[in-house]
Amino acid sequence: MSDPVSARKQPYVVKLERGDYYWCACGRSARQPYCDGSHRGTLFSPVKIAQADVGQAVLCGCKRSRNKPFCDGSHTKL
């Protein structure tokens, strides 16, 4: 598996509390947009988000952003 699975063709708008989160890079997680370990056996690794403050984030759902884990609009080209 060299290309990620597009979990969906739009971003996830999420509220993040303080702490660490792991964004799913492979697209296989059942807990989108967060990692559940489904990447095991692939070339993908989750991307750590270290959230210092409470706030909103726009996380990539198509898994093709050049600014991972954040959406850069790449889904509009799929």
Side-chain angles (χ1 to χ4, degrees), residues 1 7 9-10 12-14 20 23 26 33-34 37 39 43-44 52 59 61 63 66 72:
M1 176 177 174
K9 293 182 181 173
Q10 59 191 19
Y12 292 92
V13 179
V14 296
D20 294 338
W23 174 78
C26 71
Y34 307 109
H39 63 277
L43 300 175
F44 296 95
L59 302 179
K63 311 302 177 183
R66 291 188 190 118
D72 71 354

Side-chain angles (χ1 to χ4, degrees), residues 17-61:
E17 303 290 333
R18 290 181 184 95
D20 294 338
Y21 297 84
Y22 292 87
W23 174 78
C24 170
C26 71
R28 294 176 160 193
S29 175
R31 295 183 54 233
Q32 291 295 330
Y34 307 109
C35 178
D36 69 359
S38 295
H39 63 277
R40 288 186 184 96
T42 72
L43 300 175
F44 296 95
S45 296
V47 176
K48 183 178 179 179
I49 303 168
Q51 187 71 15
D53 296 312
V54 175
Q56 183 173 298
V58 181
L59 302 179
C60 178

